[in-house]
Every structure is written in C-alpha cells, then in structure tokens.
Amino acid sequence: MKLSSKLTRKKHSHPLFQNPTPMFQRKPKAALISLVRNSELEGIEQSMRHLEARFNHKYNYPWIFFNDVPFDDTFKARTKNLTNAECIYATVPESHWSLPKWIDESRFISSLEYLGAIGVGKGWMISYRHMCRWNSGFFYKHPVLDDFDWYWRVEPDVHFFCDIDYDPFVFMEENNLKYGFNINILDDARSFPSMWRQTQEFMSEYPELIHPEADFSWVIDHKNDGEYNNCQFFSNFEIGSLNFFRSKTYNTYFDYIDRKGGFYYERYGDAPLHTLAVVLFLSKRYQHDINKQCPATLHDKCSCEPTNLDENFYKLVPMESPQKKPEDSCIRLWLGGEWLERDDAGQYVKTGYEF
C-alpha cells in the first residue's frame, strides 16, 4: 500500500515488519465499506472470508454495505454469518443514483452508444456511470458514515493473499496519512478525455486550493505538451480519510468536475478523479512500501507467487493500444529516484523484488 502524507521516506519501515498494534490503544473510527448488489452475494462472501481471515477477525471493524436498492434477507443473513463484527446495510439515496437535472439525456444516450461501440470498458452501462459518480462525490456524505473517520473499500471477488499483522487505520491516523493504495495503473484515456483539461481550468480558477507541495511530475507527460499521462491509483482497493473527502477543498473540485457532465457525456471513473485530487490537495511524502499484489519478502504469510513491481501496468490499456504511453510504468514514475534508474544494460537497478 502506497501512502500520500507528510511522512519522510525510510527504508524497511513498512508496518508489516512491525508488531501488531496493541489492543489497548484507542481504536480508530473506521469501517470496511462495499458498494454491492444482492446478485453479487457470492463475490462479497469471497472478499469477506479472505479479509476476515487475514485481518478483521483480530480487529472487528464494522462492515457497511451500500446498494441502490434494499438488501434482501438472504444477503443480510449470509454476510452476517461471516464475521463477528457489526454489519450495517444502507441504501443509496435516489438523488445520488440518478441522472442530474443538468444532463442532456439525448447527448448521454449518444455517449453510451458511442463508447460501447468503440469498446470502452462498461461504456454502455448506465448503472456504471451512477456508480462512478457516487464513489467520486457521494459515498462519504451518506449519514451511515457520519460517525466514522476512515474507510477501507472492499469490492466483491477480491482475494487477500497475505496476513495483515498491523492495523492500517492506526498507522494512518498516527502518521497523519490521508490516502492509501496498492496498485498504480495506466487507464484507458478514451473514458475521460476531458478530465485533465477541466482540472487545469479548475486550477486556474482556484489556485489557492492547490497544495503548495503538490507534485504533478509523475502524472504529467512531459513529451506530450504537459498532458495527463493517465496514471491512476486503482481505487477498487483504497484506504482513506473520510474527512479528506468531506473537506470543502475536495468538494469544490468534485462539484466543478461534476457540473461539466463528464460522468455521463464521457465515462469518468472515480479512480482518476481520486488520483488527481490526491495530487492537487496532498503533499507527496511517502513511506517506502510495497506496490505489488504479492510481496516476495512475506512468503511465510502469503498464499501467492510474488509479482513484479510493474505487474499491473498494462491491465487496462494493452501494449498494442495506440494510446500514448508514459515514459515508464505509473508506479515507477510515482516512486521516482532510484526506481527509475537503469544500468548500462538497460535493466532496472531496482527490480521490484527488493524491499
């Protein structure tokens, strides 16, 4: 998990190598949250089994499930049976899961047809647009989260391969961290072609909101007129501060982007929006950490084969795509420094296995 914060970089200080948090410490106000349908019950059961076994059976953070329709009794009974923690079931307000009044419906339908025809992932799905918009600007406003400060997003059909022997919520709270991720990936630029231009316009209109230590270097394509290189934190797994998203700064940005209509006229995702918000409003201070699905150094606590640092870079945008690619993988651009260095043979000095 990579972390953006006011924390200096230190080698071999990842919390996985530290003792678990003593149970007498104050427990953060945190929850595991999932936007999931009744029909995805088996998928969320898979995720719960893994996360309970690897982490939450020791900490019992509540599970909060969101759905755009009420959960049925079967979903509630089977999910409650997988944890000793409290389970909370919430319905997304209709106003947060419907077409905004300022959207031109005919233009929206044309977008669905066009993006579906050219093969943009889920570009034809109306519900997917609502989901991306909700995850971008509404999840943290739901009253069921009012008493919480932190969230860990959990998707259906997720596998957690390694034991988590520390409390990441405590770690983030104690170190003033705001956002954590585990994958930094290249996204399909066809789904949000206007987002960077609108973000630049926002920056010009609200320069006082930009963090004085904001680091744009790793998301800018310096060989392509300073365009966004489409690198993003993969938000399907993220841990974050609810107060960061509740802030006036973040909501000014979301409202600005939302009013442009890109969630419906294009297919804006919450991942690039979260990424650009973290870049704009947080300083880039980070802990030397593991950005891979399976770390080699924890083989005795994991049930998977180690993966390379760059493993996920081309999962969304194939190498053969004509989309302009960054000079290096997104995670290496984010890490910078020695992670970009190559030897005389062109091989990376840091291979992705040395932690």
Side-chain angles (χ1 to χ4, degrees):
M1 182 177 67
K2 297 296 177 296
L3 303 160
S4 290
S5 71
K6 296 182 178 178
L7 188 65
T8 55
R9 182 179 181 184
K10 297 186 295 183
K11 289 189 176 182
H12 306 301
S13 57
H14 188 278
L16 283 173
F17 300 109
Q18 302 170 4
N19 292 327
T21 302
M23 296 308 290
F24 58 79
Q25 286 187 337
R26 186 186 71 81
K27 189 173 182 179
K29 297 178 180 179
L32 311 175
I33 71 171
S34 183
L35 178 66
V36 58
R37 296 183 181 279
N38 288 304
S39 59
E40 295 174 305
L41 174 57
E42 291 185 3
I44 199 62
E45 285 180 314
Q46 155 68 52
S47 303
M48 290 183 70
R49 288 190 190 99
H50 269 221
L51 193 53
E52 284 291 323
R54 297 295 191 181
F55 167 73
N56 201 45
H57 74 280
K58 295 175 290 188
Y59 298 97
N60 282 318
Y61 283 107
W63 287 87
I64 302 180
F65 303 97
F66 295 96
N67 195 350
D68 63 309
V69 299
F71 286 102
D72 59 38
D73 291 340
T74 299
F75 186 99
K76 292 179 181 180
R78 285 171 55 174
T79 49
K80 286 179 180 178
N81 194 45
L82 295 175
T83 179
N84 290 324
E86 180 183 12
C87 290
I88 302 171
Y89 304 89
T91 304
V92 176
E94 184 178 358
S95 60
H96 293 175
W97 200 271
S98 56
L99 208 63
K101 61 183 179 182
W102 61 83
I103 294 297
D104 182 323
E105 290 193 38
S106 61
R107 182 179 172 186
F108 169 46
I109 297 301
S110 296
S111 170
L112 290 173
E113 294 173 350
Y114 172 71
L115 293 179
I118 65 174
V120 171
K122 301 180 181 178
W124 65 95
M125 293 178 61
I126 296 176
S127 62
Y128 192 78
R129 313 298 182 91
H130 294 328
M131 181 272 289
C132 289
R133 183 170 179 254
W134 186 81
N135 278 324
S136 296
F138 296 106
F139 79 94
Y140 51 87
K141 296 177 181 178
H142 199 289
V144 77
L145 287 174
D146 283 352
D147 293 331
F148 294 92
D149 297 325
W150 305 92
Y151 73 97
W152 180 336
R153 179 169 160 183
V154 183
E155 298 284 315
D157 294 306
V158 169
H159 297 259
F160 293 88
F161 296 113
C162 301
D163 292 338
I164 304 170
D165 293 330
Y166 73 105
D167 187 335
F169 295 121
V170 169
F171 183 75
M172 294 184 75
E173 191 167 83
E174 290 182 346
N175 291 283
N176 192 30
L177 306 177
K178 302 300 181 186
Y179 187 81
F181 67 98
N182 78 334
I183 296 175
N184 194 343
I185 200 169
L186 185 66
D187 201 0
D188 189 339
R190 298 175 301 172
S191 62
F192 52 96
S194 299
M195 185 181 286
W196 177 240
R197 173 178 54 78
Q198 293 166 4
T199 298
Q200 289 176 304
E201 293 169 356
F202 170 85
M203 293 166 62
S204 296
E205 191 167 337
Y206 297 95
E208 72 280 3
L209 297 183
I210 310 306
H211 196 286
E213 298 180 29
D215 180 8
F216 296 91
S217 62
W218 70 276
V219 295
I220 297 298
D221 187 345
H222 300 284
K223 292 186 177 181
N224 187 28
D225 298 322
E227 289 297 309
Y228 178 35
N229 62 17
N230 305 305
C231 288
Q232 64 173 37
F233 303 136
F234 197 51
S235 61
N236 286 33
F237 174 99
E238 63 181 8
I239 297 179
S241 164
L242 287 164
N243 291 325
F244 169 69
F245 289 101
R246 291 168 180 151
S247 69
K248 182 178 179 181
T249 296
Y250 178 81
N251 283 278
T252 300
Y253 177 57
F254 168 75
D255 291 342
Y256 186 93
I257 297 297
D258 189 35
R259 294 292 300 191
K260 301 293 183 180
F263 288 104
Y264 297 98
Y265 299 146
E266 297 175 20
R267 202 231 64 192
Y268 286 4
D270 52 278
L273 193 77
H274 285 192
T275 300
L276 291 176
V278 168
V279 170
L280 289 172
F281 308 129
L282 297 176
S283 63
K284 184 187 170 187
R285 296 285 189 267
Y286 58 90
Q287 185 94 1
H288 185 74
D289 210 343
I290 296 171
N291 181 43
K292 55 196 302 183
Q293 292 172 311
C294 190
T297 55
L298 301 175
H299 58 86
D300 59 330
K301 295 185 177 182
C302 301
S303 59
C304 53
E305 293 296 322
T307 51
N308 186 271
L309 184 72
D310 306 306
E311 177 76 15
N312 301 284
F313 181 55
Y314 280 113
K315 290 291 179 66
L316 297 183
V317 183
M319 189 65 185
E320 62 271 16
S321 168
Q323 176 175 318
K324 292 183 179 180
K325 313 298 193 304
E327 296 180 58
D328 224 311
S329 68
C330 294
I331 187 57
R332 290 186 184 276
L333 291 171
W334 189 85
L335 285 168
E338 60 190 4
W339 295 94
L340 295 172
E341 295 176 9
R342 300 173 187 256
D343 59 24
D344 293 339
Q347 301 299 312
Y348 285 114
V349 175
K350 291 290 184 181
T351 65
Y353 292 101
E354 300 173 15
F355 294 93

